[in-house]
Amino acid sequence: MFLKNVAPGIHLIQSHNVNCYLLEDDQGLTLVDAGLPRVWTELGHAIRELGRVPADLKALVLTHAHFDHVGVAAKLVEQLGISVYAHHEEVTLAAHPYRYAHENPVAAYPVQHPRAIPVLLSMVLGGAAVVKGVTVTRRLEAGQEVPVPGRPRVVLSAGHTYGHCALHLPQSDALITGDALVTLDPYTGLTGPRIVAKAATADSAMAIESLHALAQTGATVVLPGHGDPWLHGVGRAADEARRTGAA
């Protein structure tokens, strides 16, 4: 599914329960997160629906480097030669996207949370088992305005991974939260603002603490890595996520 202008100059590609975002300005396009491998065709369609061509895609910015966020990254580098931005703590994970820290075993979650089964199966069909690693070529720093189309500002939000970064776009009153704050937890199937379950989170206490940094942006529109956009303010979303805690 492709949704134009979920916030001004920000477009959503939602595929196999994973979200990617295209940032657009006069300088071209930036892709935020690279989904699963099967998003490739949808990404091409989205670029053309915007009246653009693949050469207009200037950079890939990763909120973090789990396998479901780097799916087409290597292919983009191979075919377009674009730069890949991520925090230095994500460099090793980007190269080896299945070697991620998590607090709880993954296998128990579909048994405990059967509503997650169709979500996880959809991700498998999206290519979750065949993701290639990618080399990070540019580093993100906390507070940095990234020199790419859209000019997002980095909000360090560690916990889901140790180098997780959200991206604030004040001109659009929007915050791309990646998996620091989602509205669908793939490991439980639960919806509404929350952090991702311990099956895929490195440090849930750190993730809860990072909600404060997200809330400080004051953004109205929250654009998560999984689930639908939240339009009621990041402060309220962060409060709900704290109350819910980690599954």
Side-chain angles (χ1 to χ4, degrees):
M1 178 174 65
F2 176 55
L3 295 174
K4 288 184 181 180
N5 289 308
V6 289
I10 308 175
H11 315 290
L12 166 61
I13 304 170
Q14 200 170 58
S15 176
H16 296 277
N17 293 295
V18 184
N19 297 340
C20 307
Y21 297 93
L22 283 168
L23 312 182
E24 183 179 25
D25 67 14
D26 292 342
Q27 304 304 310
L29 301 171
T30 297
L31 180 65
V32 177
D33 289 336
L36 291 165
R38 293 281 177 85
V39 80
W40 181 259
T41 300
E42 294 173 66
L43 175 60
H45 289 161
I47 289 171
R48 288 177 172 83
E49 192 168 332
L50 293 172
R52 300 282 193 161
V53 296
D56 291 328
L57 186 60
K58 305 301 183 183
L60 168 64
V61 179
L62 299 176
T63 61
H64 65 298
H66 279 168
F67 64 91
D68 54 330
H69 294 261
V70 301
V72 297
K75 194 170 183 178
L76 286 170
V77 172
E78 178 185 339
Q79 297 204 10
L80 299 177
I82 63 173
S83 297
V84 178
Y85 288 78
H87 190 272
H88 71 88
E89 290 278 5
E90 300 297 298
V91 170
T92 299
L93 183 56
H96 308 282
Y98 297 104
R99 298 183 189 174
Y100 56 92
H102 50 95
E103 295 175 311
N104 284 353
V106 177
Y109 277 78
V111 176
Q112 297 171 355
H113 302 278
R115 70 169 67 189
I117 293 172
V119 178
L120 295 172
L121 284 176
S122 175
M123 291 173 67
V124 170
L125 291 173
V130 293
V131 174
K132 295 180 180 180
V134 69
T135 299
V136 173
T137 54
R138 299 285 188 273
R139 306 295 175 88
L140 298 178
E141 303 289 344
Q144 170 193 13
E145 183 179 88
V146 189
V148 298
R151 310 294 292 192
R153 187 167 294 279
V154 176
V155 181
L156 184 62
S157 43
H160 182 64
T161 64
Y162 293 116
H164 190 290
C165 293
L167 298 172
H168 184 208
L169 293 103
Q171 70 276 21
S172 302
D173 194 18
L175 179 67
I176 298 175
T177 55
D179 285 6
L181 176 61
V182 298
T183 57
L184 168 67
D185 182 348
Y187 295 89
T188 64
L190 297 173
T191 58
R194 62 193 61 244
I195 66 169
V196 175
K198 295 180 179 183
T201 291
D203 187 325
S204 57
M206 187 184 295
I208 292 291
E209 180 64 27
S210 286
L211 294 170
H212 178 68
L214 302 181
Q216 281 191 314
T217 67
T220 299
V221 179
V222 175
L223 300 172
H226 302 275
D228 293 332
W230 170 268
L231 307 179
H232 310 293
V234 66
R236 180 174 163 187
D239 287 344
E240 292 199 19
R242 285 191 199 93
R243 285 194 295 269
T244 301

